[in-house]
């Protein structure tokens, strides 16, 4: 006899229901209810296929497909009661379907298992997130592009080691992030293309003896084809790892710009002013305007990378095929996806709203001997000096300026000539930051004309 509390889905060989702690560790409904829509979509495609193949009657398939829509509307309206005793979203939906349509509900699980079902649902969920990430990335690229366009020729210091290196343009700096985000988008696109094979019909692990049509369900669910190996289909979670690693790299890029915003918005730099909408105040220091959103974005990569590592650790060493360990995949991915989308949206808002302080940028660009390389290049070009010698002469000139407490353009011609007699007044032309950036016309260089050309290319690409 079956205990009345034993599970209705497999109660046949059980005499008693689970211990409360067993139920607590086993149930995933608390989080996998987020896949309700995908679960119902997958089941509706499966039911239609079963009918088309003559495995269930058209009437039963119709009842199942309509009943599932009723279940979905109950879930959407909040009326649905999720039951931990029914473990997960798959069994919660099926049990409710049985309440609504009765006997035909029991035919839905023909030629299917929760193993191919969960792999299908989760893939559909991750695929949607990839599409959302792609949209979020495009929006952020547009925001960077607008900044680049406004300040294509504004001059700012370029840094290496966070030490002033050479003048660059604001537009060029903004476009660097457009490039990074472009690669992020292509990583997501790669992941999407690779994952887009349907697990449905792999059944528990070995396939099924029913005459199913996996091409039909694959097509109905927008997959390119059915996955070719049933063992792999139910145990593959590398599609989720692909997503997480693309997400982690994207979050790392956001973190780098977040760090720049934290530095740039400080009173010491004043390169940018963040909008009030994306800043916070201090409860004690009235003058403070803090870049909290940037700091939080800077930190998001930690949990996203953490999710990537966690799922990798869950999967390592699992023998084929499905093991319940794999139920631990979802929360990591849900959390990572939520936080990536939030970080993308917050960064888009900050970038759109921020104001670059053109004067502060230009002033900073002109300090720190930023045109020393231009001076060395001038010596090479005008005096035919080997670059190594020019580097040395320029170093001596920097030393003279440093001792005098001024910058290179402030030295007199006589002071220059005291270091190298052949230097002429023409040298002063290359010491200005505007001339410096205008001269960097090599492909990929910082010259405003290059920047404008790249903006044009990106606008076309994103249109
Ligand atoms: N809730 C399960 C999960 O998320 C569904 C698959 C259960 N399969 C099984 N053989 N127990 O992984």
């Amino acid at each position: 006899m079956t205990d009345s509390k034993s599970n209705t889905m497999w109660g046949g060989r059980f005499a008693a229901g689970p211990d409360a702690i067993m139920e607590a560790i086993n149930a995933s409904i608390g989080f996998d209810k987020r896949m309700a829509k995908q679960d119902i979509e997958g089941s509706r495609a499966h039911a239609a296929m079963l009918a088309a193949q003559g495995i269930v009657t058209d009437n039963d398939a119709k009842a199942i497909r309509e009943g599932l829509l009723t279940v979905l509307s109950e879930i959407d309206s909040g009326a649905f009661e999720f039951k931990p005793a029914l473990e997960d979203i798959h069994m919660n939906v099926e049990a409710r379907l049985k309440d609504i349509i009765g006997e035909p509900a029991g035919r839905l699980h023909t030629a299917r298992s929760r193993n191919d079902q969960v792999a299908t649902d989760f893939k559909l969920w991750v695929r949607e997130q990839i599409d959302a990430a792609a949209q979020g990335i495009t929006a952020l690229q547009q925001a960077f592009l607008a900044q680049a366009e406004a300040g294509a020729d504004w001059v700012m210091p370029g840094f290496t080691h966070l030490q002033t290196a050479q003048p660059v343009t604001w537009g060029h700096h903004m476009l660097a992030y457009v490039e990074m985000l472009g690669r992020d988008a292509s990583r997501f696109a790669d992941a999407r293309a690779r994952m887009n094979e349907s697990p449905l019909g792999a059944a528990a692990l070995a396939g099924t003896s029913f005459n199913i049509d996996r091409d039909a369900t694959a097509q109905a669910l927008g997959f390119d084809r059915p996955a070719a190996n049933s063992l792999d289909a139910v145990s593959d979670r590398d599609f989720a790892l692909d997503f997480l690693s693309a997400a982690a790299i994207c979050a790392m890029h956001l973190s780098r710009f977040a760090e720049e915003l934290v530095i740039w918005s400080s009173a010491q730099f004043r390169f940018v002013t963040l909008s009030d909408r994306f800043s916070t105040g201090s409860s004690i220091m009235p003058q403070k305007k803090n870049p909290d959103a940037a700091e939080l974005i800077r930190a998001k990569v930690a949990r996203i990378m953490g999710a990537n590592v966690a799922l990798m650790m869950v999967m390592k060493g699992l023998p084929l095929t499905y093991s319940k360990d794999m139920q631990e995949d979802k929360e990591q991915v849900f959390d990572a996806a939520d936080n990536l989308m939030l970080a993308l949206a917050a960064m888009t808002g900050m970038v759109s709203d921020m104001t670059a302080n053109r004067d502060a940028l230009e002033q900073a660009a002109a300090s720190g001997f930023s045109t020393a390389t231009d001076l060395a290049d001038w010596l090479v070009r005008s005096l035919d000096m080997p670059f190594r010698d020019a580097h040395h002469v320029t170093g001596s000139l920097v030393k003279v300026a440093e001792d005098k407490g001024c910058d290179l353009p402030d030295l007199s011609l006589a002071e220059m000539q005291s270091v190298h007699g052949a230097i002429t007044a023409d040298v002063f032309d290359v010491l200005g930051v505007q001339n410096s950036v205008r001269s960097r016309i090599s492909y990929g260089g910082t010259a405003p004309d290059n920047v404008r050309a790249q903006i044009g290319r990106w606008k076309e690409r994103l249109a």
Side-chain angles (χ1 to χ4, degrees):
M1 247 341 273
T2 299
D3 183 285
S4 63
K5 283 170 67 197
S6 75
N7 192 299
T8 50
M9 302 288 168
W10 60 61
R13 56 113 57 231
F14 280 75
D19 188 271
I21 291 176
M22 178 61 205
E23 187 175 295
I25 193 172
N26 201 36
S28 54
I29 189 61
F31 49 89
D32 67 14
K33 59 181 168 203
R34 287 188 67 171
M35 305 192 309
K37 190 181 71 145
Q38 291 74 15
D39 192 70
I40 286 169
E41 205 188 330
S43 289
R44 293 188 80 238
H46 185 66
M49 180 278 291
L50 290 177
Q53 296 299 104
I55 300 167
V56 302
T57 64
D58 286 340
N59 277 346
D60 283 349
K62 189 164 180 283
I64 291 169
R65 284 168 54 81
E66 282 171 8
L68 285 168
L69 288 182
T70 307
V71 176
L72 184 60
S73 67
E74 288 178 2
I75 291 172
D76 286 344
S77 74
F80 191 94
E81 194 198 334
F82 294 101
K83 297 183 183 141
L86 290 167
E87 214 179 304
D88 56 25
I89 186 63
H90 323 296
M91 296 203 292
N92 269 270
V93 168
E94 194 184 318
R96 180 67 190 131
L97 181 67
K98 181 135 190 271
D99 294 343
I100 300 170
I101 68 166
E103 192 258 3
R107 299 184 185 278
L108 170 61
H109 214 52
T110 315
R112 169 179 98 164
S113 150
R114 275 190 297 156
N115 295 348
D116 59 338
Q117 195 179 353
V118 72
T120 304
D121 295 1
F122 195 32
K123 262 196 179 180
L124 292 173
W125 196 91
V126 170
R127 200 176 67 185
E128 267 180 34
Q129 297 302 306
I130 287 179
D131 294 342
Q135 274 188 13
I137 287 171
T138 304
L140 180 52
Q141 285 180 303
Q142 305 277 18
F144 274 118
L145 267 183
Q147 285 287 349
E149 206 166 15
D153 58 357
W154 299 354
V155 186
M156 66 179 284
F159 299 94
T160 60
H161 316 268
L162 196 56
Q163 308 287 321
T164 301
Q166 295 174 351
V168 297
T169 48
W170 170 258
H172 198 49
H173 198 114
M174 295 297 107
L175 286 180
Y177 284 96
V178 176
E179 294 288 337
M180 289 175 237
L181 289 162
R183 290 193 299 278
D184 290 332
S186 91
R187 261 181 287 276
F188 281 116
D190 287 350
R192 193 189 200 287
R194 191 158 40 245
M195 74 177 279
N196 208 27
E197 297 185 337
S198 173
L200 196 58
L205 76 165
T208 174
S209 57
F210 289 98
N211 176 31
I212 59 172
D213 182 353
R214 293 190 59 207
D215 289 298
T217 45
Q219 202 191 355
L221 297 171
F223 288 111
D224 296 328
R225 64 193 81 85
N229 183 300
S230 62
L231 305 177
D232 175 45
V234 296
S235 60
D236 161 32
R237 292 295 180 274
D238 50 63
F239 68 87
L241 288 167
D242 261 351
F243 170 74
L244 290 175
S245 79
I249 294 172
C250 180
M252 175 277 290
H253 286 148
L254 301 188
S255 180
R256 294 187 73 173
F257 190 63
E259 166 68 359
E260 297 203 303
L261 284 182
V262 170
I263 296 171
W264 290 357
S265 63
S266 68
Q268 288 70 23
F269 271 74
R270 293 191 311 104
F271 283 8
V272 296
T273 308
L274 298 176
S275 73
D276 289 353
R277 299 200 313 151
F278 286 95
S279 311
T280 52
S282 158
S283 54
I284 175 166
M285 296 165 283
Q287 87 285 8
K288 289 293 282 288
K289 194 166 153 187
N290 293 328
D292 289 36
E295 294 168 270
L296 289 162
I297 291 169
R298 188 171 59 183
K300 290 297 184 196
V301 61
R303 64 201 288 169
I304 296 173
M305 190 63 212
N308 193 8
V309 173
L311 182 55
M312 189 75 97
M313 291 304 103
V314 166
M315 295 308 294
K316 71 165 272 298
L318 289 188
L320 300 187
T321 55
Y322 180 84
S323 296
K324 197 63 174 262
D325 310 48
M326 290 157 73
Q327 180 167 287
E328 291 282 310
D329 56 1
K330 284 171 273 301
E331 281 170 293
Q332 300 293 342
V333 172
F334 292 166
D335 183 77
D338 290 345
N339 281 285
L340 179 70
M341 303 314 153
L342 184 57
L344 281 168
M347 183 131 270
T348 302
M350 272 195 298
V351 172
S352 307
D353 278 20
M354 74 186 180
T355 316
N357 303 326
R358 191 178 175 176
D359 294 339
L361 288 168
E362 183 154 349
Q363 256 177 38
S367 69
F369 313 107
S370 66
T371 52
T373 314
D374 299 86
L375 173 49
D377 289 349
W378 184 87
L379 294 171
V380 169
R381 222 175 275 124
S382 305
L383 306 183
D384 196 26
M385 221 181 258
F387 183 78
R388 284 293 161 219
D389 298 347
H391 185 284
H392 191 82
V393 169
T394 306
S396 306
L397 286 164
V398 167
K399 181 87 177 53
V400 172
E402 199 171 43
D403 290 345
K404 206 186 151 194
C406 69
D407 222 295
L408 288 170
D410 310 318
L411 291 175
S412 67
L413 183 58
E415 284 164 327
M416 296 252 189
Q417 287 171 341
S418 72
V419 172
H420 196 285
I423 296 177
T424 67
D426 289 351
V427 74
F428 290 102
D429 290 346
V430 303
L431 297 182
V433 291
Q434 292 288 352
N435 285 341
S436 171
V437 295
R438 270 202 292 273
S439 73
R440 298 282 194 272
I441 51 170
S442 58
Y443 181 74
T446 199
D449 285 348
N450 280 4
V451 170
R452 291 192 188 98
Q454 292 295 330
I455 291 170
R457 179 178 70 92
W458 272 109
K459 276 188 161 171
E460 256 173 49
R461 223 177 117 171
L462 297 180

